[in-house]
Amino acid sequence: MTDNIVEDALGRVLAYLRLSGVSVDTDTTRAALRLVDDTLEAGEEGLLERLMAAVPERFGLDQPAPPMLAPPVHHGSIHYPRRP
Amino acid sequence: MAVLRRATLILLVLAQTLAGLYGMQSVLPYHGGNLLEKGILFLFAVLFAWISVGFWTALLGFWLRRRGGDPWSLVRRYDAATVAATPLARTAVVMPIYNEPVDRTLAGLRATIQSLRDTGELEHFDFYLLSDSRDAQQWLEERTGWYRLCQEQGLQGRLFYRHRPVNLNFKSGNVADFLRRWGKDYEYMVVLDADSVMGGATLTRMVRHMELAPKVGILQTSPSLINAHSAFARFQQFANRVYGPLFTAGLAGIQLGEAAYWGHNAIIRCKPFMEHCGLQHLSGFGLFRGPIMSHDFVEAAYMGRAGYEVWMEPELDESYEESPPTLVDELTRDRRWAKGNLQHAWLFLFAPKLRFAHRMAFLNGILSYLSSPIWLAFLILTSIEATRLTLWPIDYFPEQQNSMFPAWPEWHPHWAVGLILSTFFLLFLPKFLAIADVLLSGRRRQHGGAWRLFASVCLELLVSMLLAPIRMLTHSRYVLGALFNLSLHWGGQNRTDETGWREAFVSHAPGTLLAAGWAGLALWLDPFFFFWSLPVALPLILAAPTSVVLSRVALGEALRRRRLLLTPEEQRLSPQVDAIADPRPLNPGALSAFDAAVVDPDLNHLHRALARRRRCLEPEAREEWLQRCIQHGPEGLNRRQLNALARDGEALARLHRAAWVAPPDSYWGTRIGLVKRRDYG
C-alpha cells in the first residue's frame, strides 16, 4: 500500500514540475525523490498535502507574469445618429 | 460612371421584365383578365426583375473581367509603386467570437499573423480577440488558446483578449465595445470573422490604399470559400470560386464607391466609423423595434451618408472564409440573416439622407429572403389557377370585364415552355459565362481541366436545383416568423458535424408532406400540371436525404479524389489555407478547459492572475459550490455557478490545491492521473 502511495506521490511531483515548465531530467527526478523521502519522514498521514505544498518552494517555481490581457483603455465615444 | 452604369442596369432590367411580363400575360388563359391572374402577373414581375438584376450583374462582371478589370475601381487609382511606397498606419485586427471552435478560430488568426510577419510589417498591427462567449468552458478555452498563441508567436502585449461581461447588441455591440475602449489608438481596424483568414500582403495593401484615399471609410474584400470537406460545403466553395468572381466584379462595377460592407474581411477607418456609424435601436413596431441585427449594411450606409466612400474590391485576393458545412447549418444561419435583412426595410423607408445606392443595397438584401415567399405565393396562385380551370366551370363573363363578348380562356403550352426556357436562360447563362471566363483566363487547371470543370458545373446545377425549393420554403418560414416577430436564438455556427437522418427528417418533414400533397393534387388535376410541379415538389420530397447525403464528408472527399468541384486552393495550398486545414491544437485535449484551468499549474496561474479583483458572490453560496466542485468536479454545477468559480482567483487556487492532493479514484484524482501521463500537453 505504502509503495503505491509513494509511487503516486512521486508521479504527481514529476507531473507538476513538468507542467510548470521544469525539465524533468535525472537531477530533477533525484531531487523529487529526496523531497518525497523527506516528507515521508513525518509519516504517511497527510503525505500528499505536505508534499505538494513543499514543491513550489523546493524547486523554486516562480510563475511568470501572464501576458497583458488588454492594453490601457483610452475611452472614446460612439456617436449615434438620430433614431430612425 | 456609377450613374451611367446604374441607369443602364435599371433600363435593361425594366425592358427585360416588361418583355417577360408580356410573355407571361400571353401564357395565362385569361391574359391577366381577372384578379387571380393580375396577382400572378405582379408576383412574376417581381421575381423576373429579381433574376434579371442577377443576370445583368453577371454580364457586366464578365465584361469587366474580360477587359482585365474595372478601370474605375479603387485599386486601379494608384500605381503599384505609389502604393508600395506608402507608409503604414497603426491598425487593429479584431476578431469577434461567440462560441466558436477555438483551435480552428485561432489557427486562422495564427495564419494571418504569420503571413503579416512574412511581409516584415507586423509591427504596425495589433490583434484583438473579442469574445462574447458565455460558457466558462468556452471562454476558458479561448483564453488558454490566446495565452498559448501569445507564447508561440511572441506577441505578448500585441495580441489581446477581451471577454465582454455583458453581450449587448450582438456582434456590432462587441465591435463598438472595442472602439469605445481602444478605437482612439488606431487609425484602422480590420474586422475578421471567426472563420476568416487573410494574407499579410493583402492587409498591408489595404492599409496603404486607405492611407492614399482619405475619403474611403470602408474597404471590403470579396472572401473566397476554403477548407470545405463535406459535399455541401464543397459545392458552395466551387460555386463561390467559379461563379463568384463574375457576380462580385459586376456588383463592384455597379456600386463603385457606394458598396456594401459584409461585416468581416474588411478594413474600416476608425474615427469616422465611431463618429457616424453608431447603431441606434429601431423605433418602429414588432420586428422594426429594438437592436439592429444585421449591422454591416447599415454601417456602410451611415458611412456613405457621412460623405465617405465604401468600396468592395474583388481584386484584393488572399481573403478567405468558410462555408457552413451542411444545409442545416446554412439554414440556421439564414434564420438570423433573414430577420436582420428584413429589419432593413425600416431603414430603407425612413432613415434620412441615405444614398440611393445604399437604399438599393437594403432592398437587395431584403429581396434575398423576401423573394422566397413571393415565389411560394406565385406557386400557390398558379396552383389555384390550375385547379380553377380544371374543376370550376369556365367563366365567360368575368366581373372585371364589362363586355358583351365572352372571354375565352386560351392555353398555349408552347408559349409556357418558351417562357420557362427564357427564365432558365437568365438563371443559367451566367454560370456558363463563368466557365468561359475560367477558360479564357487560363484557369482551367485550377478546376481540374475543362471537362472536369464542365462536369462540376453540371453537378452543381443539379444540386442547386435540388436545394433551391428547400431554401425557398425554409426562407418563407423565416420571413413569416420574422414578420410576426418570433423570438430568435443568436448562436455560433456549427462548423464540424454531419447531419443525422433523424434530425433531417424532423427538420424537413413539413416541407416534404406539403410537397407530396401538392404533387398529388397536381397529378389528380392534370398530368401536365403534375410535371410542371415536379421541379419544385421533387426536391422538397427528397429534402431529408439530400440534406443528409450532402452533409457527408466522405462524399465531399470522394468528389475531390475524382477531381470534381476542385478549387485553386485545393490544388495548391497557400500557407494560410494550409495552416487551417489541420489546426494545431492550442489546448491540451485530455482535459476540459475548466479541468485544465484547475489542474495545470501554468494555466491555473494564468486564470488566477486574470481573475476579477472583486468577488461578487455571496460567501455561503460560493463555499457550497466550491465544496461541491472539489468533491464531484464541475459536472454538478450549472453554467452560472461554474462561471462564478472560473472568474474567482481564490476559488481557482483552492481547487488547484485540492485537486493535486485528491485521492486517485476521486474526480480530480482521475484528472491528475491523466496529466501524469507524459504525453499530456
Side-chain angles (χ1 to χ4, degrees):
Chain A
M1 193 60 169
T2 303
D3 290 349
N4 285 344
I5 291 172
V6 172
E7 189 183 335
D8 178 46
L10 179 64
R12 288 189 190 217
V13 173
L14 292 175
Y16 198 92
L17 292 172
R18 184 166 43 81
L19 292 171
S20 300
V22 176
S23 170
V24 181
D25 53 14
T26 311
D27 290 342
T28 314
T29 310
R30 280 189 181 142
L33 271 167
R34 274 198 299 276
L35 175 64
V36 174
D37 192 36
D38 293 348
T39 315
L40 260 176
E41 281 181 5
E44 286 182 17
E45 185 70 29
L47 171 70
L48 281 177
E49 284 82 353
R50 283 179 281 119
L51 183 68
M52 296 313 296
V55 167
E57 194 182 342
R58 179 72 77 95
F59 289 90
L61 299 181
D62 53 336
Q63 302 278 10
M68 196 198 301
L69 197 61
V73 171
H74 294 134
H75 280 294
S77 304
I78 306 279
H79 297 263
Y80 291 92
R82 198 162 54 82
R83 183 184 281 217
Chain B
M1 180 50 70
V3 173
L4 177 67
R5 286 181 182 176
R6 288 170 199 167
T8 310
L9 175 75
I10 290 169
L11 281 175
L12 288 168
V13 169
L14 274 178
Q16 200 166 40
T17 305
L18 284 174
L21 204 55
Y22 176 75
M24 187 66 188
Q25 193 180 19
S26 309
V27 164
L28 290 173
Y30 291 101
H31 309 308
N34 57 40
L35 203 58
L36 180 65
E37 292 194 352
K38 282 188 172 62
I40 290 173
L41 284 174
F42 172 74
L43 296 175
F44 176 83
V46 176
L47 291 171
F48 205 79
W50 174 240
I51 60 172
S52 178
V53 169
F55 173 81
W56 288 109
T57 303
L59 243 60
L60 174 64
F62 180 75
W63 180 67
L64 288 173
R65 284 178 62 82
R66 295 316 331 132
R67 286 185 62 193
D70 190 344
W72 291 88
S73 71
L74 176 71
V75 294
R76 299 295 172 97
R77 209 181 274 179
Y78 310 99
D79 61 71
T82 307
V83 174
T86 306
L88 293 170
R90 262 174 72 74
T91 303
V93 177
V94 304
M95 182 182 266
I97 50 176
Y98 180 40
N99 293 339
E100 308 287 349
V102 176
D103 284 337
R104 161 62 192 89
T105 301
L106 294 186
L109 188 60
R110 177 199 284 132
T112 304
I113 290 168
Q114 284 176 343
S115 182
L116 267 170
R117 178 170 279 131
D118 293 342
T119 66
E121 310 279 12
L122 184 64
E123 76 267 20
H124 299 283
F125 294 82
D126 288 344
F127 303 88
Y128 288 81
L129 281 163
L130 307 174
S131 171
D132 263 348
S133 302
R134 307 261 48 90
D135 189 56
Q137 295 282 14
Q138 179 70 26
W139 62 257
L140 282 171
E141 188 183 347
E142 290 166 2
R143 199 153 73 180
T144 301
W146 158 78
Y147 173 59
R148 299 278 194 234
L149 196 60
C150 280
Q151 290 178 319
E152 178 195 290
Q153 297 293 321
L155 279 179
Q156 292 89 343
R158 302 277 308 287
L159 169 58
F160 304 110
Y161 176 80
R162 157 83 174 149
H163 181 230
R164 210 160 53 127
V166 182
N167 50 355
L168 284 174
N169 298 338
F170 312 118
K171 181 178 160 187
S172 65
N174 199 357
V175 173
D177 176 76
F178 160 79
L179 287 169
R180 274 191 212 97
R181 289 165 173 269
W182 302 292
K184 282 167 71 178
D185 295 346
Y186 299 97
E187 195 68 32
Y188 308 110
M189 67 170 172
V190 173
V191 183
L192 299 182
D193 237 358
D195 60 358
S196 294
V197 187
M198 290 190 73
T202 301
L203 285 170
T204 54
R205 193 178 167 201
M206 288 167 77
V207 174
R208 289 187 167 112
H209 274 292
M210 295 293 279
E211 284 286 276
L212 285 165
K215 287 308 287 179
V216 176
I218 300 175
L219 175 53
Q220 171 71 57
T221 65
S222 172
S224 302
L225 294 181
I226 51 164
N227 202 29
H229 298 289
S230 68
F232 177 83
R234 290 201 68 239
F235 275 108
Q236 305 313 306
Q237 179 180 267
F238 175 78
N240 167 273
R241 295 299 271 135
V242 175
Y243 317 140
L246 250 62
F247 285 99
T248 49
L251 191 62
I254 294 163
Q255 293 176 327
L256 293 173
E258 294 173 321
Y261 163 46
W262 297 348
H264 56 91
N265 292 44
I267 188 167
I268 294 172
R269 195 177 297 276
C270 291
K271 192 165 180 285
F273 192 84
M274 291 171 73
E275 286 175 356
H276 304 289
C277 299
L279 300 181
Q280 279 276 37
H281 286 198
L282 295 178
S283 60
F285 57 90
L287 169 68
F288 308 111
R289 189 172 191 85
I292 293 171
M293 285 178 286
S294 286
H295 58 98
D296 35 23
F297 275 32
V298 185
E299 287 157 347
Y302 286 1
M303 193 64 108
R305 182 168 66 181
Y308 287 87
E309 296 167 19
V310 180
W311 286 86
M312 194 270 284
E313 281 296 347
E315 287 186 45
L316 291 168
D317 56 359
E318 288 193 320
S319 174
Y320 305 105
E321 63 172 330
E322 289 183 358
S323 161
T326 69
L327 178 63
V328 172
D329 292 312
E330 187 198 76
L331 294 176
T332 306
R333 182 197 66 185
D334 283 354
R335 188 188 188 94
R336 304 194 305 260
W337 286 9
K339 196 164 182 177
N341 282 17
L342 288 171
Q343 263 192 336
H344 294 165
W346 190 262
L347 295 157
F348 172 76
L349 292 171
F350 302 117
K353 297 178 183 172
L354 295 185
R355 293 185 185 178
F356 175 74
H358 285 136
R359 286 195 201 276
M360 289 301 105
F362 283 146
L363 186 62
N364 191 44
I366 294 163
L367 274 173
S368 301
Y369 291 97
L370 198 61
S371 57
S372 288
I374 293 175
W375 182 15
L376 182 63
F378 177 75
L379 292 175
I380 291 169
L381 293 192
T382 49
S383 300
I384 293 171
E385 175 87 334
T387 310
R388 208 178 64 142
L389 282 171
T390 311
L391 298 182
W392 296 353
I394 294 169
D395 184 5
Y396 292 102
F397 296 97
E399 278 180 25
Q400 290 86 352
Q401 182 176 311
N402 299 317
S403 166
M404 293 180 65
F405 300 100
W408 296 98
E410 295 175 293
W411 179 233
H412 303 289
H414 55 287
W415 290 2
V417 171
L419 193 63
I420 289 168
L421 288 178
S422 63
T423 308
F424 280 1
F425 178 79
L426 294 188
L427 286 171
F428 298 142
L429 181 72
K431 301 202 174 194
F432 290 98
L433 282 180
I435 297 180
D437 183 57
V438 169
L439 298 178
L440 291 169
S441 55
R443 293 183 288 133
R444 71 185 68 185
R445 284 182 190 280
Q446 296 180 0
H447 298 285
W451 285 111
R452 284 202 168 79
L453 172 66
F454 183 73
S456 299
V457 168
C458 291
L459 265 179
E460 195 281 332
L461 277 177
L462 179 70
V463 167
S464 63
M465 284 194 288
L466 280 174
L467 293 177
I470 303 171
R471 286 177 172 138
M472 177 270 288
L473 199 63
T474 313
H475 288 175
S476 300
R477 191 156 52 87
Y478 292 165
V479 169
L480 292 176
L483 292 176
F484 288 106
N485 208 23
L486 300 178
S487 67
L488 179 66
H489 170 70
W490 193 281
Q493 187 176 307
N494 166 32
R495 301 184 200 277
T496 47
D497 295 337
E498 297 181 345
T499 306
W501 283 100
R502 183 185 157 79
E503 180 191 2
F505 274 113
V506 169
S507 169
H508 296 292
T512 300
L513 292 173
L514 194 70
W518 183 51
L521 173 74
L523 184 62
W524 178 66
L525 285 174
D526 180 358
F528 183 81
F529 184 49
F530 171 71
F531 288 115
W532 187 85
S533 74
L534 279 184
V536 174
L538 204 56
L540 286 171
I541 292 167
L542 298 174
T546 302
S547 179
V548 172
V549 170
L550 286 180
S551 77
R552 294 289 184 251
V553 171
L555 178 61
E557 297 299 332
L559 290 166
R560 192 204 305 263
R561 281 195 299 277
R562 283 166 179 73
R563 300 182 60 74
L564 289 167
L565 307 175
L566 283 182
T567 60
E569 287 77 16
E570 287 183 328
Q571 304 215 67
R572 292 180 290 105
L573 286 181
S574 74
Q576 294 87 45
V577 180
D578 201 12
I580 61 161
D582 187 18
R584 202 181 320 147
L586 288 160
N587 286 275
L591 297 181
S592 73
F594 184 82
D595 290 354
V598 168
V599 170
D600 191 315
D602 190 28
L603 296 181
N604 185 258
H605 174 70
L606 169 80
H607 294 301
R608 271 162 44 202
L610 300 177
R612 284 182 180 171
R613 296 285 174 268
R614 282 180 300 142
R615 200 185 306 141
C616 39
L617 289 173
E618 291 174 20
E620 295 81 16
R622 172 177 174 269
E623 191 56 35
E624 189 211 323
W625 301 342
L626 196 53
Q627 287 305 325
R628 215 188 307 163
C629 193
I630 288 172
Q631 295 298 319
H632 307 293
E635 270 76 19
L637 301 173
N638 63 29
R639 190 167 84 166
R640 178 172 155 260
Q641 294 163 347
L642 201 61
N643 268 316
L645 292 185
R647 288 195 187 106
D648 183 337
E650 194 185 309
L652 286 173
R654 284 180 60 188
L655 282 166
H656 180 67
R657 286 196 296 272
W660 279 94
V661 299
D665 55 351
S666 67
Y667 179 86
W668 291 110
T670 57
R671 267 58 195 169
I672 298 297
L674 286 172
V675 302
K676 278 164 68 181
R677 291 167 46 176
R678 292 197 68 83
D679 58 350
Y680 171 80

